[in-house]
Amino acid sequence: IISNYHIYTHKPKSLIPTSIPIIYVAGILPNMSEMIIAKKLSAELTLHNKNVLIISSDPMDSLNNYELFPWDLISKLDSVYQVNQWINSKIFEYHPDYIIIGVPGGIIQSEKYNPLCDYGLIHYVMKNAMPPSYIVCSVLADTVTTGRPFTC
């Protein structure tokens, strides 16, 4: 019988830790305005003369000179190691006092808003690649248009 399993046989690679505070802005569901929160945090830290590196999953944010989230690394076999190396390369390049990452995707299951059922996967990879110092969780409420809380 021929098996279709792939067995990861490589030795684990050493992750490089950082002493720079990392702030994850995560959403309960995808597209929960994580980057609005990230930008406001960055603005506040900048007022205190802090150099902030923002990593965004929105390609439009490249117009603001933010780094784009490394989507191509998430699907790699050793994604945790690859993301760790990528973040460390950005630390070397920018020398930030803080890193704010708008982590894409949601952390809870929702067939309506997360049909790919990949909820929590990117957060899991990111947490293992570079553990955050702080996590800000965005829980969107649709109070602007309806006055009612957001529902899944």
Side-chain angles (χ1 to χ4, degrees), residues 26-136:
I28 295 293
L29 295 169
N31 305 318
M32 297 286 285
S33 304
E34 297 95 346
M35 288 314 299
I36 292 172
I37 295 169
K39 291 171 188 176
K40 288 184 178 194
L41 282 171
S42 175
E44 186 65 32
L45 290 168
T46 303
L47 285 175
H48 296 283
N49 297 319
K50 300 298 181 186
N51 181 20
V52 180
L53 169 62
I54 294 182
I55 299 172
S56 172
S57 61
D58 184 351
M60 292 300 290
D61 283 333
S62 65
L63 298 173
N64 295 322
N65 294 322
Y66 299 152
E67 280 295 323
L68 291 180
F69 190 82
W71 287 104
D72 57 323
L73 300 180
I74 295 297
S75 61
K76 294 199 180 287
L77 186 59
D78 58 348
S79 60
V80 169
Y81 175 77
Q82 294 291 330
V83 170
N84 175 272
Q85 296 300 301
W86 184 83
I87 292 174
N88 275 295
S89 73
K90 299 305 168 190
I91 290 170
F92 182 76
E93 182 179 346
Y94 291 99
H95 306 288
D97 297 314
Y98 288 86
I99 299 173
I100 300 175
I101 303 175
V103 183
I107 58 174
I108 65 169
Q109 181 178 4
S110 169
E111 292 176 11
K112 180 178 177 183
Y113 293 98
N114 208 346
L116 299 177
C117 296
D118 61 347
Y119 51 90
L121 174 64
I122 297 172
H123 297 82
Y124 176 80
V125 169
M126 294 300 297
K127 183 204 80 66
N128 285 300
M130 193 65 77
S133 307
Y134 307 96
I135 299 174
V136 177

Side-chain angles (χ1 to χ4, degrees), residues 127-149:
K127 183 204 80 66
N128 285 300
M130 193 65 77
S133 307
Y134 307 96
I135 299 174
V136 177
C137 189
S138 174
V139 182
L140 183 66
D142 188 18
T143 55
V144 175
T145 58
T146 67
R148 295 186 309 268

